[in-house]
Amino acid sequence: MIRATQVRPQHRWTQAPADSVVLDFDDRHRRRMAMRCTRGLEFLLDLENATVLRGGDALVLDDNRLIEVVAAPEPLLEIRGQDPHHLVRLAWHLGNRHLPTQITARGLRIRRDHVIEAMVKGLGARVIEIEAPFDPEGGAYAGGGHGHGPETDPHHHAARDHSSHDHGDHGHHHDHSNHHDHNHHDEHCDHDHHHGHSHAHDRK
């Protein structure tokens, strides 16, 4: 199977892509995975390190053809504040819970979560359910927002679906010794997916 071993960041390539691959947020943080493009081309993503792919990036195949990465729409919550100061306060509460968060001109976007929705509404936020690509901030661990770090990177935990957290602890002190062990980080590349394309995972 032909391989993709390099990533060209968005806005840094001009060649017409040979095909495109549509991936949700979880599937855009990978090192090695079999992928199927929208027009049927199949290839093996085989990067040196786990990489956070963004919509608009290009994967470089062995024969130098490019595959465009398209961020799939996902069910999200758009959180809007009463003013900039209020929005910063809301962002602090989301960050305190290690939630992957996308910052837009209108507000903050997170994956749908009824517990977090209730929390921010209690803080006076307006919350709107939307369907849109999810492209959260990379954070301090992701190399300036375009992560190329190893799979054991601490930010890898934040890339997990927030549903794995115990919501009963929200608003209270987090015991990081329980949530940031290495087994939890490695688990991300072993879970099953059901996105309509075949996967072949290989932990680094």
Coordinates of all heavy atoms in Angstrom, one line a residue, residues 23-29 52-53 72 74 100 111 134-136 155 158-160 188:
L23 N -11.8 13.6 8.0 CA -11.6 13.0 9.3 C -12.1 13.9 10.4 O -12.1 15.1 10.3 CB -10.0 12.9 9.5 CG -9.2 12.2 8.5 CD1 -7.7 12.4 8.7 CD2 -9.6 10.7 8.6
D24 N -12.7 13.3 11.5 CA -13.1 14.0 12.6 C -11.9 14.3 13.5 O -10.8 14.0 13.2 CB -14.2 13.3 13.4 CG -13.7 12.0 14.1 OD1 -12.5 11.8 14.1 OD2 -14.6 11.2 14.5
F25 N -12.1 15.0 14.6 CA -11.0 15.5 15.5 C -10.2 14.3 16.0 O -9.0 14.4 16.0 CB -11.6 16.3 16.6 CG -10.5 16.7 17.6 CD1 -9.5 17.5 17.2 CD2 -10.6 16.4 18.9 CE1 -8.5 17.9 18.1 CE2 -9.7 16.8 19.8 CZ -8.6 17.6 19.4
D26 N -10.8 13.3 16.5 CA -10.1 12.1 17.0 C -9.2 11.5 15.9 O -8.0 11.2 16.2 CB -11.0 11.0 17.5 CG -11.6 11.4 18.9 OD1 -10.9 12.2 19.6 OD2 -12.7 10.9 19.2
D27 N -9.7 11.4 14.7 CA -8.9 10.7 13.7 C -7.9 11.7 13.0 O -7.1 11.3 12.2 CB -9.8 10.2 12.6 CG -10.4 8.8 13.0 OD1 -9.9 8.2 13.9 OD2 -11.5 8.4 12.4
R28 N -7.8 12.9 13.5 CA -6.8 13.9 13.0 C -5.6 13.9 13.9 O -4.8 14.8 13.8 CB -7.4 15.2 12.8 CG -8.4 15.3 11.6 CD -8.6 16.7 11.1 NE -8.8 17.7 12.1 CZ -10.0 18.0 12.7 NH1 -11.1 17.3 12.4 NH2 -10.1 19.0 13.5
H29 N -5.6 13.0 14.9 CA -4.4 13.0 15.8 C -3.9 11.5 15.7 O -4.3 10.7 16.5 CB -4.7 13.3 17.2 CG -3.5 13.5 18.1 ND1 -3.6 13.8 19.4 CD2 -2.2 13.3 17.8 CE1 -2.3 13.9 19.9 NE2 -1.5 13.5 19.0
V52 N -1.0 16.2 15.0 CA -2.4 16.8 15.0 C -2.6 17.4 13.6 O -1.9 18.4 13.3 CB -2.6 17.8 16.1 CG1 -4.0 18.5 16.0 CG2 -2.3 17.2 17.5
L53 N -3.4 16.8 12.8 CA -3.7 17.3 11.5 C -4.8 18.3 11.6 O -5.8 18.2 12.3 CB -4.1 16.2 10.6 CG -3.1 15.0 10.4 CD1 -3.7 13.9 9.6 CD2 -1.8 15.5 9.7
A72 N -14.1 16.9 9.3 CA -15.5 16.5 9.2 C -16.3 17.4 10.2 O -15.9 17.7 11.3 CB -15.6 15.1 9.6
E74 N -18.9 18.1 13.1 CA -19.2 17.3 14.3 C -20.3 18.1 15.1 O -20.4 19.3 15.0 CB -18.0 17.1 15.1 CG -16.8 16.4 14.4 CD -15.7 16.1 15.3 OE1 -15.9 15.6 16.4 OE2 -14.5 16.4 14.9
P100 N -10.8 20.3 25.1 CA -10.4 20.9 23.8 C -11.4 21.9 23.4 O -12.6 21.7 23.4 CB -10.5 19.7 22.9 CG -10.3 18.5 23.8 CD -11.0 18.8 25.1
R111 N -17.1 20.2 22.0 CA -18.0 19.1 21.7 C -19.2 19.1 22.6 O -19.1 19.5 23.8 CB -17.2 17.7 21.8 CG -16.3 17.4 20.7 CD -15.5 16.2 20.9 NE -15.1 15.6 19.7 CZ -14.2 14.6 19.7 NH1 -13.7 14.1 20.8 NH2 -13.8 14.1 18.5
F134 N -14.4 20.7 13.9 CA -13.9 21.0 15.2 C -12.3 21.1 15.1 O -11.7 20.1 14.8 CB -14.3 19.9 16.2 CG -13.9 20.3 17.6 CD1 -14.1 21.5 18.2 CD2 -13.3 19.3 18.4 CE1 -13.8 21.8 19.5 CE2 -13.0 19.6 19.8 CZ -13.3 20.9 20.3
D135 N -11.8 22.3 15.3 CA -10.4 22.5 15.2 C -9.9 23.3 16.4 O -9.6 24.5 16.4 CB -10.1 23.3 13.9 CG -8.7 23.3 13.5 OD1 -7.9 22.4 14.0 OD2 -8.3 24.1 12.6
P136 N -9.8 22.6 17.6 CA -9.4 23.3 18.8 C -8.0 23.8 18.9 O -7.2 23.4 18.1 CB -9.7 22.2 19.9 CG -9.4 20.9 19.2 CD -10.0 21.2 17.8
H155 N -0.6 16.9 26.0 CA -1.8 17.4 25.4 C -2.6 16.3 24.7 O -3.8 16.5 24.4 CB -1.4 18.4 24.3 CG -2.6 19.0 23.6 ND1 -3.5 19.8 24.3 CD2 -3.0 19.0 22.3 CE1 -4.5 20.2 23.5 NE2 -4.2 19.7 22.3
A158 N -5.9 15.7 26.2 CA -7.0 16.6 25.9 C -7.6 16.3 24.6 O -8.7 16.7 24.3 CB -6.4 18.1 25.9
A159 N -6.9 15.6 23.7 CA -7.5 15.2 22.4 C -8.5 14.1 22.6 O -9.3 13.8 21.6 CB -6.4 14.8 21.5
R160 N -8.6 13.5 23.7 CA -9.6 12.4 23.9 C -11.0 13.0 24.0 O -11.2 14.1 24.5 CB -9.3 11.7 25.2 CG -8.0 10.9 25.2 CD -8.1 9.7 24.2 NE -9.3 9.0 24.4 CZ -9.5 8.0 25.4 NH1 -8.5 7.7 26.2 NH2 -10.7 7.4 25.5
H188 N -5.5 6.0 23.5 CA -6.2 6.7 22.4 C -6.0 6.0 21.1 O -6.8 6.0 20.2 CB -5.6 8.1 22.4 CG -6.2 8.9 21.3 ND1 -7.6 9.1 21.1 CD2 -5.6 9.5 20.2 CE1 -7.8 9.8 20.1 NE2 -6.6 10.1 19.5

